[in-house]
Amino acid sequence: PGKTTSDKFEGSFENEGYTKTEDDDVDTNSQLSDHPGGIEVGDGGPGLVEAVAVDPESDDEYIPAAVEFDPDDKGKSVVYLKDSRTRKYGIAAVCILVALVVGLSVGLTRTNVEVEVTDSPSMTPSAAPTSVLFSEVSNFIITSFEGLMDDMDSLLDDDTSPQAQALDWLFTVDTFFGSDNGRQLLENIDENRLLQRYVLAVFAFATESKFWSFCGFPTDNTGLCLVDLFDPSQGSIIEEVSSHWLSQNDECSWFGVTCFEDGSSKNVQQIFMENNDIAGTFPVEFALLPELALLDIPGNRLSGTLPPEISEFRSLEELRIPNNEMTGELPDELFDLGSLVTLTIGGNDFSGTLSTKIGQLTGLLGLFIFDTLMDGPIPSEIGELRFLNGLFLENSPFSGTLPTEIGKLTQLTTFHNSNTIITGEIPNEIGNLENLEILIIPGSRYSGPLPPNFYNLDRLTDFFANDIQNNDTAPVTTGLSGTISADISKMTNLQIFLIHGNSFTGELPDEFGDLPNLGEYCIWSVVPHLY
């Protein structure tokens, strides 16, 4: 009061480099009266709001707060702002504060969605959740399966598919990740661990684990099961505590699953389930277990073919699927598994020939093909498996002759080649197998004498070459023939020598009786038909 508005602004303008002129003296009271908001002013000075020029160099005049308006005390109801820049910063601070409050509210709303959880898994999927996070998990899974199962999006839309059932279980039943709210999964755990648990769940649903012989489905809240296992070190049955598949327990504790733990990460390394009445097709989804080195599922009811996606099992070292119900030819992609050391596929109805690509598995230690429908010749590329110590090619209609390249397998200790239709003589190169201990060839169609180098097998303990003569079905053979050489004396480790059912002639050499470890032998021959 007592000053005009222009007087009060004079210092402020001059500080900003503005020079006041006579034209700047205006009737401010008149302008405020004409304001569209209908602001009225009194006779002696401004009305409800008054701006006061402040000396920027004087901190005493700056009051960084707003005071409540008091109509009876206008002098104290003024907001003092230091300059225009301060006003801008103040407005910006208020905007940021509002944005933080709104963002926090939205976040809390999003993460506090409740999901009803049942006490035990349900084999029938519930209605698909519609939350954003469920969609994120679905997209993550679809992306993870690209190149392996490109129809994952449609499979997840099919409520009856194992893929959809596993995802539904992960969200509406599973509480392993520390929350009963599945929609928080991606916020609480590592995505790789989530994918691992999902992949195992897919296998459980695909093979209807509730019908497994044991440990396929939780029966109580503990999720534990007792299994009788044979302990070869003790030679007896022991009882082991494990966890059911689809239980809330760590998937690395599920029956038959072994994980490799490295710090905070745990990756499935082995899956072994024998004689568990597992039915279904080969688990392609296991290709997404990056550390899986052993897949051993013998004596079950797996059916269908071995898929070409087997090549995606990049860490697989041992594949054992004997005594199942699988069919079809072996895919060429199988021989792309450069890390493979054991391949056991016997006891299935596999057909076709053994590919020449077998030579690509140069790290193979064991190849076991038995009780199949596979036929055709044994490829010469078998000789490339220089580290092989166990070779079973038996009880299958393999034909042709035994390739001479067999002599390159100098690490071989066991060779089973019984009940095939392989013909011809045993190659002399067999004598190069300096580590061979067991040679079993009964029921095949060999002929001719034992080759001279055969007697160089000084580590051989078991030789089964009985019942080779065959006059009933083609190809007909008289079996092995000729005489037993006195060089047999070099085979001092020989324990079993069975050559009956052949066409050997002559007398046994005296050296035969000097073999120190020989315990079982049978050498009678069949008299050839004379008609």
Side-chain angles (χ1 to χ4, degrees):
K3 291 186 179 181
T4 65
T5 306
S6 58
D7 289 337
K8 293 179 180 179
F9 278 117
E10 181 176 352
S12 176
F13 285 147
E14 291 175 349
N15 286 335
E16 294 295 329
Y18 178 85
T19 302
K20 176 178 176 293
T21 65
E22 293 181 358
D23 294 337
D24 291 324
D25 289 323
V26 295
D27 186 354
T28 308
N29 293 340
S30 170
Q31 288 183 352
L32 291 175
S33 298
D34 296 334
H35 190 276
I39 298 176
E40 297 182 359
V41 296
D43 294 336
L48 299 178
V49 180
E50 182 175 2
V52 180
V54 178
D55 183 356
E57 301 300 323
S58 175
D59 292 335
D60 295 336
E61 293 182 323
Y62 174 54
I63 303 175
V67 295
E68 182 179 356
F69 170 69
D70 185 351
D72 297 323
D73 186 6
K74 296 179 182 179
K76 294 183 180 180
S77 60
V78 179
V79 177
Y80 292 91
L81 297 177
K82 192 169 185 178
D83 54 28
S84 61
R85 186 164 24 185
T86 304
R87 291 195 298 275
K88 293 177 182 178
Y89 289 160
I91 293 172
V94 172
C95 292
I96 291 173
L97 180 61
V98 171
L100 287 174
V101 172
V102 172
L104 182 60
S105 300
V106 171
L108 291 174
T109 302
R110 181 176 172 184
T111 57
N112 283 280
V113 182
E114 294 186 356
V115 177
E116 181 179 356
V117 178
T118 58
D119 291 335
S120 60
S122 170
M123 288 295 178
T124 303
S126 62
T130 58
S131 71
V132 174
L133 191 53
F134 184 92
S135 176
E136 291 176 359
V137 175
S138 299
N139 291 334
F140 167 65
I141 289 174
I142 291 171
T143 301
S144 300
F145 274 79
E146 284 180 356
L148 185 68
M149 297 175 65
D150 291 330
D151 57 346
M152 274 298 292
D153 51 348
S154 60
L155 289 173
L156 292 180
D157 288 337
D158 179 4
D159 290 344
T160 64
S161 73
Q163 293 76 19
Q165 290 176 316
L167 186 59
D168 182 77
W169 171 81
L170 198 64
F171 271 85
T172 62
V173 177
D174 191 28
T175 61
F176 171 71
F177 295 116
S179 170
D180 60 358
N181 184 345
R183 289 170 174 79
Q184 295 182 13
L185 289 180
L186 283 183
E187 297 177 8
N188 295 335
I189 64 163
D190 176 64
E191 290 180 349
N192 293 330
R193 190 72 186 274
L194 170 64
L195 182 62
Q196 173 174 281
R197 196 167 176 87
Y198 172 76
V199 163
L200 294 177
V202 170
F203 177 69
F205 283 104
T207 57
E208 297 188 275
S209 64
K210 64 181 179 180
F211 297 120
W212 292 358
S213 297
F214 39 85
C215 298
F217 191 80
T219 55
D220 56 40
N221 290 333
T222 69
L224 299 178
C225 64
L226 295 177
V227 185
D228 291 333
L229 298 176
F230 177 75
D231 184 356
S233 63
Q234 301 182 20
S236 60
I237 301 296
I238 61 172
E239 193 174 70
E240 181 178 278
V241 178
S242 189
S243 291
H244 286 281
W245 283 60
L246 297 181
S247 70
Q248 307 302 302
N249 300 333
D250 188 335
E251 72 272 13
C252 292
S253 72
W254 291 359
F255 171 70
V257 177
T258 302
C259 291
F260 172 74
E261 188 168 357
D262 182 15
S264 60
S265 65
K266 298 175 73 173
N267 296 310
V268 174
Q269 191 174 48
Q270 298 181 359
I271 296 177
F272 170 65
M273 284 186 289
E274 182 177 13
N275 300 324
N276 202 12
D277 204 25
I278 298 174
T281 57
F282 186 82
V284 174
E285 59 274 5
F286 283 172
L288 295 180
L289 302 174
E291 301 295 329
L292 184 63
L294 168 68
L295 181 56
D296 197 349
I297 317 179
N300 288 283
R301 293 190 293 120
L302 293 180
S303 58
T305 61
L306 193 62
E309 289 82 4
I310 187 67
S311 63
E312 299 298 322
F313 287 63
R314 305 186 190 282
S315 297
L316 196 62
E317 297 177 1
E318 299 182 65
L319 176 60
R320 298 172 181 165
I321 50 173
N323 302 321
N324 280 279
E325 301 171 4
M326 300 191 69
T327 58
E329 299 185 7
L330 300 181
D332 283 346
E333 290 80 1
L334 173 64
F335 307 105
D336 293 333
L337 296 176
S339 59
L340 208 60
V341 296
T342 302
L343 177 60
T344 307
I345 58 174
N348 289 282
D349 287 335
F350 288 122
S351 57
T353 60
L354 182 58
S355 172
T356 58
K357 291 186 176 182
I358 186 66
Q360 297 177 186
L361 302 179
T362 55
L364 211 58
L365 300 178
L367 175 61
F368 306 104
I369 303 176
F370 55 88
D371 297 321
T372 73
L373 301 178
M374 295 181 67
D375 55 15
I378 297 174
S380 60
E381 287 78 6
I382 198 81
E384 300 300 319
L385 310 182
R386 304 297 178 87
F387 298 101
L388 204 64
N389 56 50
L391 177 60
F392 284 31
L393 299 171
E394 64 178 351
N395 299 326
S396 302
F398 291 112
S399 59
T401 60
L402 190 64
T404 58
E405 287 79 6
I406 198 76
K408 295 180 178 180
L409 306 180
T410 56
Q411 299 301 312
L412 200 63
T413 61
T414 303
F415 181 31
H416 286 218
N417 190 219
S418 61
N419 297 312
T420 71
I421 53 176
I422 290 178
T423 59
E425 296 184 2
I426 298 175
N428 197 39
E429 288 77 5
I430 197 80
N432 296 336
L433 306 183
E434 56 189 31
N435 290 296
L436 193 64
E437 298 176 359
I438 299 174
L439 178 58
I440 300 179
I441 59 172
S444 289
R445 307 299 173 86
Y446 290 104
S447 61
L450 293 175
N453 286 348
F454 169 78
Y455 300 101
N456 291 336
L457 301 175
D458 56 3
R459 293 191 178 184
L460 195 67
T461 60
D462 300 357
F463 180 52
F464 292 77
N466 52 288
D467 300 320
I468 290 180
Q469 185 185 49
N470 189 302
N471 295 311
D472 299 325
T473 58
V476 173
T477 179
T478 58
L480 299 176
S481 59
T483 60
I484 303 299
S485 170
D487 288 338
I488 199 170
S489 62
K490 295 186 292 186
M491 306 177 74
T492 55
N493 287 301
L494 202 58
Q495 299 176 20
I496 301 174
F497 190 71
L498 303 181
I499 59 171
H500 58 280
N502 287 283
S503 298
F504 287 105
T505 58
E507 296 182 355
L508 283 175
D510 292 340
E511 290 80 1
F512 186 80
D514 295 331
L515 295 174
N517 295 300
L518 188 62
E520 181 181 352
Y521 61 92
C522 189
I523 56 176
W524 57 265
S525 293
V526 176
V527 178
H529 289 291
L530 301 177
Y531 52 88

